[in-house]
Amino acid sequence: MASIFTRIINGEIPCYKIAEDDRYFAFLDINPVTRGHTLVIPKQETDNIFDLEDDLLGGLHVFAKKVAHAIDKAVQCERVTMAVVGLEVPHAHIHLIPINSMREYSFANPKVQLSKEEFEEIAANIRKNF
Ligand code: AMP
C-alpha cells in the first residue's frame, strides 16, 4: 500500500504544497513544531533515507536547500534547521524547521495550532520566495 506521502504526491490526500520537480516534493508539516515547518521528500517511496541511492539522496539535500532559503525569507527566524526522524511515516523525508532558539527545536513541545487560512498564508509566502 502506498505511503501517506505518496498519496499526497498523487493528489489523493490534500496538503499545503510548497514546491515540486520531477524527483522531489515539499509541503508543510500538518503538525508543525514551529510555523513554516516543512517536509521535503523524494517522490520515490523508500522508507529509510539512508537507503536512498547516492544521487537521489544528494539531490534531496540540494532541493531542501532551495526550500530552506525560501523558508528563511518567508518566516521570521534565526535559523532554518534540518532533521531526519522517520519514526512515524515510512517514506524518507527531511524536516526543515525554522527556529529562533533551541527551546523551540523540540519534537516534544506542544505542536503549533494553525487554522487552514494560516497554513495557506505560510505556504503562499514560502512559495513566493522559492
Ligand atoms: P517522522 O516520520 O517521525 O519524521 O514524522 C512524520 C511527520 O510527518 C510528522 O511531523 C507529522 O506531523 C507529519 N505528517 C504526517 N502526516 C502528514 C500529512 N498528511 N500532511 C503533512 N504532514 C504530515
Side-chain angles (χ1 to χ4, degrees):
M1 188 179 146
S3 77
I4 189 162
F5 289 172
T6 294
R7 298 182 66 202
I8 285 174
I9 293 165
N10 293 339
E12 294 161 25
I13 293 177
C15 74
Y16 300 99
K17 181 175 161 182
I18 302 297
E20 77 173 304
D21 68 7
D22 55 329
R23 295 202 296 173
Y24 307 107
F25 195 96
F27 56 105
L28 293 183
D29 194 298
I30 205 69
N31 247 320
V33 171
T34 62
R35 295 171 80 91
H37 180 174
T38 299
L39 301 175
V40 184
I41 66 178
K43 289 185 172 176
Q44 177 191 298
E45 187 177 321
T46 298
D47 177 359
N48 191 328
I49 194 167
F50 300 118
D51 288 335
L52 291 176
E53 185 269 319
D54 288 357
D55 182 61
L56 192 60
L57 177 61
L60 178 66
H61 284 77
V62 173
F63 191 80
K65 171 177 148 179
K66 290 184 208 153
V67 177
H69 283 315
I71 295 171
D72 208 10
K73 289 184 189 134
V75 178
Q76 194 286 315
C77 66
E78 185 69 27
R79 192 62 71 152
V80 178
T81 63
M82 189 170 94
V84 172
V85 186
L87 288 175
E88 188 185 319
V89 178
H91 184 141
H93 51 281
I94 291 174
H95 294 259
L96 295 176
I97 304 175
I99 61 165
N100 287 293
S101 70
M102 271 311 279
R103 203 139 37 95
E104 287 182 352
Y105 187 64
S106 171
F107 285 86
N109 287 345
K111 300 300 183 290
V112 178
Q113 300 299 314
L114 298 171
S115 65
K116 189 174 187 298
E117 291 70 29
E118 287 173 309
F119 272 117
E120 275 165 359
E121 188 186 347
I122 293 165
N125 283 337
I126 299 173
R127 274 199 305 270
K128 228 169 30 198
N129 287 285
F130 183 75

